[in-house]
């Protein structure tokens, strides 16, 4: 193959000046750590890439690596679109990300313990009590409940974006039931098949140990129990992330249970097995707080286990993540995280945050409402790309709708400047085009500290020009290669 | 590590039904295929109608699944009919999906691929061409799944629940088939076999893929009483009743050991009694074929109920 084949594939590739280009420095001139990949692409034709793409799609479909799209009948299974071209992160960039994320999660765990216990952070006026207590995910029931080793968040998926300057910034934390890690692992398998030699020579750090590390973190919650029974609790087969639940249960060799498999007797949790009832010690739950125990939280659900909260409060079962962690990923509280890091650790935040307007403040709200066509408005308690207005891409009606919503409930929304996520090349319709991407690494936290498997889920906004990367909103993903060097 | 890992009751339930649905799909496809084949050999609309009635009776469809206009087409492709092959395969796959972390990846891939393939088949063109290939794919797919299951899954409790689902379904389908195709007349030796009858009998054997196995024991000489004897009491043929019951008994014994808990022994008594009955009964002992078959069917239902009561739907107070 020749230079020209690649050039013709790249015809539609647009480098946008307003955002950081992950791959290219100038027109078709790759950054040093992408040089080998681009070199390899020169050897491939569009047909080659197409047949790889087809093989990858079939592999995902046959393995049933799918998610469920809500809102059309009983839920349709779709594969999560996979883009062939890997996203590459240098060792130096990764070290920065890793230390930043560890610092952040450490502070957030201290913050959660504090707000559910003595509340020093309120007395010292770092954050108003009202701000925390009014959060949709604050759980009053957790006041003075002691959780094992004071670890609230065992699994965290933090969304990072790359600013136009090239530095990484935290866009949001997911501290409740973050998902996507199975795609990180599945993408790696496929990418290895597509670029075996390239992968081998690139010096990519492995991600395969994720299941093992997670299991050890879960075990570390109950060091006093020999051979603890650990289970993964799923809402069931109609949950959008059901594939991931089965995948992780199998990776860890633990039982995948539903609420109906569990029962509470005398303050202990049991699962119903063919050998009778068996006591459960740790639950990695992928069920939201609201659905865990209908005696305490939402009464109209059967996904959970009646009495679970009681067993939890007595310390007879450990939950990962703890109940009530969502308060720390509230998008308004996000604005305080840099000061929380400073307050709890006495350190400056390693990772940048995105400037955030709190709409309860009259001055900030006025500014935001006047400039709504330039800003992003987000509902504070939502995730998955729902409850989101991207000002520059919105219609007048949508803006009016959000203005009304903000005025009715200013605590329910925040605003941020519209940031153009960095772009990377993607194989789309026989061409290599640029698309916006982000990065979600997964941080695991146990009594022995934090561990991050070197990698993450690189999400791609597959619709041209779109800034929304969520799977439910037309997003796809790429394998993420974190290099040793 | 403890080799007797506990298994969730719900998982046992799903594996059992995954296996039953798949077995039923295989059985249905074989019977429909035989029916279409016989119609090619002997074209007589009166015979065809009778044969169709027998087919429907032998499948023992619940009233709501009784096909109206195009019975064969409906029983093959109509996803809204719970007894159609496509609905049964979907049911098997849906059960597999609920417990997929318990299956080997190879098993899941196979049943998922079979399901995707059958769902994506262009119905009309298959139907016009001749659906034999379609039925063959169902059977091959099911056989492959069973082979993969035996070769890749731990032969643990889950595997035994899969065995139980398969053999309970298979024995009930066989009892229904015999009940529809034979009556007391056929218990006698020395039957005169007309050409039409010959084709029908071969068809019955082929409905349970028994023709070749039968000829190895009885030669190509086809007699109703020998067929009944073969399908009820032969010990080696994997679709005979006796074979099925022995498989059921051996899986129940294995489960008792693996679930290491002292259990009510009724389940094992029921299976043991039926197994020994089938090892000692002879065709001469049968006076009313229908009653005999029905009695055995009731025994199998009781085994099924006790299986559920012991492992899956037990009351909590008995298990603390």
């Amino acid at each position: 193959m020749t230079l020209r084949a690649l050039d013709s594939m790249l015809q539609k590739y647009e480098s946008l000046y307003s955002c950081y280009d992950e791959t290219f420095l100038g027109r078709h001139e790759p950054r040093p750590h992408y040089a080998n990949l681009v070199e390899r692409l020169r050897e491939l034709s569009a047909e080659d890439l197409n047949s790889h793409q087809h093989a990858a799609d079939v592999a995902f479909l046959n393995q049933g690596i799918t998610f469920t799209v809500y809102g059309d009948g009983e839920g349709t299974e779709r594969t999560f679109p996979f883009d062939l071209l890997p996203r590459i992160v240098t060792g130096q960039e990764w070290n920065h990300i890793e230390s930043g994320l560890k610092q952040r999660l450490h502070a957030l765990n201290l913050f959660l313990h504090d707000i559910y216990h003595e509340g020093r952070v309120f007395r010292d006026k770092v954050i108003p009590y009202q701000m925390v207590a009014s959060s949709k995910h604050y759980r009053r029931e957790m006041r003075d409940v002691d959780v094992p080793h004071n670890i609230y968040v065992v699994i965290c998926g933090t969304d990072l974006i790359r600013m136009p300057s090239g530095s990484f910034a935290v866009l949001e934390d997911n501290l409740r039931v973050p998902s996507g890690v199975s795609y990180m692992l599945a993408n790696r398998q496929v990418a290895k098949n597509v670029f075996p030699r390239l992968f081998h020579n690139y010096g990519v750090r492995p991600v395969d140990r994720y299941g093992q590390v997670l299991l050890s973190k879960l075990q570390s919650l109950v060091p006093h129990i020999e051979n603890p029974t650990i289970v993964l609790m799923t809402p069931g087969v109609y949950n959008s992330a059901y594939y991931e639940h089965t995948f992780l249960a199998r990776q860890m060799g633990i039982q995948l249970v539903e609420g109906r498999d569990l029962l509470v007797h005398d303050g202990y949790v049991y699962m119903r097995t063919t050998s009778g009832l068996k006591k459960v010690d740790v639950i990695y739950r992928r069920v939201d707080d609201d659905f865990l125990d209908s005696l305490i939280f939402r009464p109209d659900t059967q996904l959970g286990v009646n009495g679970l909260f009681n067993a939890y409060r007595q310390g007879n079962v450990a939950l990962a993540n703890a109940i009530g962690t969502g308060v720390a990923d509230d998008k308004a509280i996000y604005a305080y995280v840099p000061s929380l890091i400073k307050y709890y650790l006495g350190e400056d935040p390693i990772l940048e945050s995105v400037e955030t307007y709190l709409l309860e403040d009259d001055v900030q709200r006025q500014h935001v409402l006047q400039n709504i066509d330039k800003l992003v408005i987000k509902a504070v308690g939502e995730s998955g790309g729902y409850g989101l207005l991207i000002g520059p891409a919105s219609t007048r009606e949508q803006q009016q709708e959000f203005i009304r919503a903000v005025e009715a409930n200013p605590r329910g929304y925040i605003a941020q400047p519209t940031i153009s996520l960095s772009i990377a090349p993607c194989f789309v319709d026989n061409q290599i085009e640029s698309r916006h991407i982000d990065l979600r690494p997964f941080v695991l936290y146990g009594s022995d500290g934090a561990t991050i498997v070197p990698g993450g889920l690189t999400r791609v906004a597959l619709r041209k020009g779109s800034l929304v990367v969520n799977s439910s909103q037309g997003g796809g993903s790429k394998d993420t290669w974190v290099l040793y060097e | 590590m403890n080799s007797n890992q506990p298994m969730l009751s719900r998982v046992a339930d799903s594996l059992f039904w995954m296996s039953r649905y798949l077995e039923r799909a295989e059985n249905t496809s074989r019977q429909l295929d035989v029916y279409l084949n016989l119609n090619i050999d002997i074209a007589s609309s009166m015979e065809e109608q009778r044969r169709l009635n027998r087919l429907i009776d032998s499948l023992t469809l619940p009233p709501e699944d009784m096909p109206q206009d195009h019975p064969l087409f409906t029983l093959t492709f109509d996803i809204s009919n719970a007894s159609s092959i496509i609905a049964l395969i979907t049911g098997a796959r849906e059960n597999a999906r609920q417990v997929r972390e318990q299956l080997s990846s190879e098993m899941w891939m196979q049943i998922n691929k079979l399901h995707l393939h059958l769902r994506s088949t262009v119905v009309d063109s298959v139907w016009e061409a001749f659906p034999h290939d379609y039925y063959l794919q169902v059977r091959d797919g099911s056989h492959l799944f069973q082979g993969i299951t035996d070769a890749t899954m731990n032969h643990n409790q889950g595997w035994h629940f899969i065995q139980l689902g398969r053999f309970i379904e298979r024995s009930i389908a066989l009892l229904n088939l015999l009940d529809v195709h034979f009556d007391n007349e056929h218990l006698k030796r020395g039957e005169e076999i007309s050409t039409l009858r010959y084709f029908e009998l071969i068809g019955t054997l082929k409905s349970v893929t028994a023709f070749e196995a039968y000829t190895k024991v009885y030669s190509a000489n086809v007699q109703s009483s020998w067929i009944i004897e073969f399908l009820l009491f032969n010990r080696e043929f994997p679709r005979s009743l006796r074979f099925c019951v022995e498989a059921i008994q051996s899986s129940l014994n294995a489960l008792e050991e693996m679930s290491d808990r002292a259990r009510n022994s009724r389940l094992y008594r029921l299976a043991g009694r039926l197994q020994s009955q089938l090892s000692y009964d002879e065709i001469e002992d049968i006076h009313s074929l229908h009653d005999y078959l029905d009695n055995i069917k009731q025994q199998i239902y009781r085994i099924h109920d006790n299986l559920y009561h012991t492992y899956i739907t037990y009351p909590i107070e008995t298990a603390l």
Side-chain angles (χ1 to χ4, degrees):
Chain A
M1 271 311 135
T2 62
L3 262 169
R4 248 171 300 154
L6 180 65
D7 284 339
S8 85
M9 271 197 284
L10 278 170
Q11 255 171 16
K12 287 198 190 160
Y13 189 92
E14 294 172 36
S15 268
L16 305 170
Y17 291 109
S18 56
C19 54
Y20 184 85
D21 188 322
E22 296 279 344
T23 310
F24 294 104
L25 275 166
R27 183 151 179 86
H28 303 186
E29 184 203 333
R31 294 179 186 278
H33 59 290
Y34 273 95
N36 288 338
L37 174 66
V38 173
E39 202 51 44
R40 175 77 184 113
L41 288 178
R42 288 190 203 290
E43 299 164 12
L44 295 168
S45 64
E47 290 78 47
D48 295 333
L49 286 174
N50 238 328
S51 76
H52 282 309
Q53 182 74 56
H54 182 70
D57 293 345
V58 170
F60 278 109
L61 189 64
N62 281 342
Q63 292 175 62
I65 304 183
T66 54
F67 68 96
T68 312
V69 185
Y70 296 127
D72 55 349
E74 58 180 89
T76 322
E77 287 170 53
R78 289 219 201 122
T79 56
F80 191 22
F82 170 75
D83 183 71
L84 287 177
L85 310 179
R87 185 261 185 92
I88 302 171
V89 177
T90 65
Q92 201 188 356
E93 288 167 342
W94 179 255
N95 293 342
H96 179 73
I97 291 173
E98 189 179 28
S99 53
L101 289 175
K102 283 182 175 174
Q103 178 198 48
R104 190 173 175 92
L105 188 56
H106 188 193
L108 289 174
N109 264 315
L110 293 171
F111 169 65
L112 284 163
H113 180 263
D114 190 19
I115 61 167
Y116 288 121
H117 289 80
E118 55 275 48
R120 284 192 296 127
V121 74
F122 306 128
R123 280 203 311 276
D124 294 337
K125 301 204 182 325
V126 181
I127 187 169
Y129 171 74
Q130 205 42 42
M131 180 56 79
V132 168
S134 61
S135 169
K136 185 175 160 193
H137 299 290
Y138 177 72
R139 292 287 171 270
R140 209 166 297 282
E141 298 81 359
M142 287 297 290
R143 284 294 300 275
D144 294 324
V145 173
D146 289 320
V147 306
H149 304 277
N150 297 336
I151 295 169
Y152 283 77
V153 179
V154 178
I155 306 104
C156 161
T158 295
D159 293 340
L160 300 174
I161 58 171
R162 205 153 201 192
M163 309 290 273
S165 66
S167 61
F168 284 95
V170 175
L171 186 64
E172 61 187 58
D173 302 292
N174 294 279
L175 305 176
R176 283 168 278 158
V177 285
S179 64
V181 75
S182 59
Y183 298 106
M184 167 179 96
L185 298 166
N187 287 354
R188 175 57 53 86
Q189 291 308 319
V190 176
K192 271 194 212 172
N193 290 339
V194 177
F195 299 111
R197 258 186 321 147
L198 184 72
F199 182 86
H200 177 75
N201 295 330
Y202 233 106
V204 181
R205 302 194 207 179
V207 290
D208 313 66
R209 282 188 56 231
Y210 182 84
Q212 198 193 338
V213 175
L214 174 55
L215 185 64
S216 76
K217 300 290 179 196
L218 294 170
Q219 279 165 341
S220 81
L221 298 178
V222 287
H224 54 289
I225 300 177
E226 204 181 329
N227 282 329
T229 299
I230 301 173
V231 299
L232 195 161
M233 182 177 173
T234 173
V237 68
Y238 295 111
N239 184 267
S240 69
Y242 180 70
Y243 161 72
E244 176 157 307
H245 306 161
T246 65
F247 177 87
L248 289 174
R250 195 162 38 190
Q251 290 278 312
M252 290 189 277
I254 63 176
Q255 294 280 356
L256 181 69
V257 305
E258 298 180 17
R260 57 190 162 128
D261 296 320
L262 301 178
L263 58 98
V264 176
H265 181 84
D266 242 2
Y268 285 88
V269 181
Y270 295 90
M271 60 178 169
R272 179 187 272 279
T273 77
T274 56
S275 315
L277 300 182
K278 188 162 173 44
K279 183 161 92 57
V280 173
D281 304 303
V282 182
I283 302 177
Y284 171 29
R285 48 98 174 200
R286 297 291 297 257
V287 175
D288 285 329
D289 289 355
D290 278 345
F291 302 95
L292 277 178
D293 183 346
S294 64
L295 298 180
I296 306 290
F297 305 110
R298 265 172 70 157
D300 57 338
T301 171
Q302 301 188 343
L303 295 176
V305 191
N306 287 351
L308 178 61
F309 186 74
N310 213 9
Y312 181 54
R313 188 163 45 194
Q314 291 176 42
N316 293 336
V317 67
L319 295 180
N321 290 341
I323 294 173
T325 53
V327 63
D329 69 21
D330 183 293
K331 290 181 175 65
I333 292 189
Y334 165 91
Y336 293 90
V337 175
S339 17
L340 295 175
I341 291 174
K342 189 101 190 146
Y343 176 68
Y344 288 109
L345 305 178
E347 299 168 6
D348 286 324
I350 296 170
L351 290 169
E352 283 179 44
S353 294
V354 177
E355 185 186 0
T356 299
Y357 302 100
L358 298 173
L359 304 181
E360 276 182 310
D361 182 294
D362 292 337
V363 180
Q364 297 191 32
R365 186 172 65 251
Q366 283 321 315
H367 172 78
V368 166
L369 294 183
Q370 278 159 20
N371 294 285
I372 194 162
D373 56 333
K374 301 184 193 71
L375 299 169
V376 176
I377 313 284
K378 292 176 177 175
V380 292
E382 299 289 337
S383 58
Y386 296 100
L388 183 70
L389 177 86
I390 297 185
S394 63
T395 64
R396 202 67 209 145
E397 288 79 53
Q398 288 167 331
Q399 292 170 14
Q400 288 304 329
E401 201 182 303
F402 267 77
I403 289 173
R404 277 194 300 277
V406 166
E407 280 173 342
N409 176 18
R411 170 64 178 89
Y413 296 85
I414 53 111
Q416 291 173 337
T418 307
I419 294 165
S420 265
L421 313 184
S422 58
I423 54 168
C426 294
F427 186 63
V428 184
D429 298 334
N430 283 327
Q431 292 279 330
I432 294 176
E433 300 190 17
S434 60
R435 290 290 183 270
H436 293 288
I437 62 171
D438 77 350
L439 174 63
R440 175 182 288 183
F442 295 88
V443 193
L444 299 172
Y445 201 90
S447 58
D448 56 346
T451 307
I452 312 179
V453 172
L457 182 65
T458 292
R459 299 186 299 176
V460 184
L462 281 177
R463 261 179 285 145
K464 198 177 176 72
S466 168
L467 290 171
V468 185
V469 294
N470 303 86
S471 58
S472 49
Q473 317 273 322
S477 73
K478 284 171 168 295
D479 191 20
T480 308
W481 293 4
V482 175
L483 307 183
Y484 284 105
E485 300 291 315
Chain B
M1 280 306 273
N2 178 10
S3 66
N4 288 344
Q5 281 254 332
M7 181 162 93
L8 292 175
S9 300
R10 173 180 56 82
V11 169
D13 180 45
S14 288
L15 292 175
F16 180 84
W17 279 101
M18 170 193 80
S19 177
R20 277 196 79 162
Y21 279 131
L22 196 62
E23 178 71 23
R24 196 176 294 176
E26 188 189 328
N27 177 49
T28 304
S29 76
R30 200 171 267 122
Q31 293 205 36
L32 295 183
D33 197 16
V34 165
Y35 167 83
L36 287 175
N37 257 301
L38 282 175
N39 284 351
I40 297 173
D41 277 322
I42 307 166
S44 138
S45 61
M46 206 173 66
E47 244 343 282
E48 255 188 72
Q49 187 55 48
R50 274 196 224 132
R51 201 176 284 139
L52 179 63
N53 292 342
R54 281 200 297 269
L55 170 67
I56 304 249
D57 286 347
S58 139
L59 292 174
T60 56
L61 306 176
E64 67 272 19
D65 291 348
M66 210 55 88
Q68 300 301 326
D69 295 335
H70 304 286
L72 275 270
F73 186 88
T74 304
L75 289 174
T76 306
F77 295 115
D78 184 357
I79 187 81
S80 68
N81 184 311
S83 298
S84 71
I85 291 174
I86 194 68
L88 292 169
I89 293 286
T90 306
R93 189 258 186 186
E94 204 45 38
N95 273 286
R97 192 159 97 89
Q98 307 219 10
V99 293
R100 60 183 283 180
E101 88 291 350
Q102 298 287 326
L103 308 177
S104 66
S105 311
E106 292 87 349
M107 287 166 73
W108 164 252
M109 290 262 280
Q110 167 57 19
I111 197 158
N112 195 38
K113 258 159 60 180
L114 177 64
H115 172 254
L116 290 171
H117 179 73
L118 295 180
R119 285 298 289 266
S120 67
T121 302
V122 182
V123 171
D124 289 340
S125 69
V126 173
W127 200 248
E128 296 297 318
F130 189 60
H132 171 71
D133 284 346
Y134 191 83
Y135 296 135
L136 195 62
Q137 279 165 10
V138 175
R139 264 144 45 205
D140 284 352
S142 167
H143 289 160
L144 185 53
F145 182 77
Q146 290 170 31
I148 291 173
T149 301
D150 289 354
T152 62
M153 182 183 185
N154 290 352
H155 288 206
N156 55 12
Q157 292 189 50
W159 187 82
H160 286 289
F161 273 99
I162 292 175
Q163 296 290 102
L164 286 170
R166 177 187 310 155
F167 285 107
I168 286 178
E169 177 66 30
R170 192 177 282 179
S171 46
I172 290 171
L174 177 70
L175 290 166
N176 289 332
L177 181 84
L178 291 174
D179 204 9
V180 167
H181 286 266
F182 299 103
D183 54 39
N184 289 342
E185 280 302 294
H186 302 121
L187 293 169
K188 298 188 193 117
R189 310 263 173 192
E191 185 188 19
E192 283 295 322
I193 304 288
S194 65
T195 308
L196 178 63
R197 182 71 187 154
Y198 176 80
F199 272 107
E200 295 293 350
L201 289 175
I202 300 290
T204 308
L205 282 170
K206 286 190 169 166
S207 298
V208 285
T209 187
F211 178 65
E212 289 174 20
Y214 171 90
T215 58
K216 291 201 169 72
V217 178
Y218 295 88
S219 80
N221 189 351
V222 175
Q223 286 278 310
S224 296
S225 63
W226 289 349
I227 293 178
I228 297 170
E229 182 176 71
F230 179 72
L231 292 181
L232 285 180
F233 302 131
N234 186 283
R235 195 177 184 174
E236 288 150 3
F237 177 59
R239 288 173 184 274
S240 80
L241 183 68
R242 183 171 170 194
F243 188 99
C244 293
V245 167
E246 289 188 354
I248 291 170
Q249 191 197 19
S250 107
S251 278
L252 288 177
N253 289 339
L255 275 182
E256 184 185 28
E257 202 170 303
M258 289 174 176
S259 63
D260 54 36
R261 262 178 110 247
R263 290 285 181 176
N264 95 41
S265 59
R266 194 171 149 75
L267 177 57
Y268 312 101
R269 275 209 310 280
L270 286 170
R273 190 184 298 156
L274 179 56
Q275 188 271 330
S276 73
Q277 180 187 345
L278 292 174
S279 10
Y280 293 111
D281 274 359
E282 292 177 310
I283 191 160
E284 286 78 13
D285 300 329
I286 305 175
H287 301 296
S288 160
L289 182 63
H290 172 76
D291 290 350
Y292 185 82
L293 297 174
D294 193 55
N295 173 278
I296 292 175
K297 211 194 299 185
Q298 297 309 324
Q299 294 192 49
I300 291 175
Y301 286 157
R302 274 201 295 278
I303 290 174
H304 177 278
D305 290 348
N306 269 275
L307 174 72
Y308 264 67
H309 194 73
T310 309
Y311 291 107
I312 296 169
T313 54
Y314 54 81
I316 290 158
E317 54 275 18
T318 64
L320 273 170

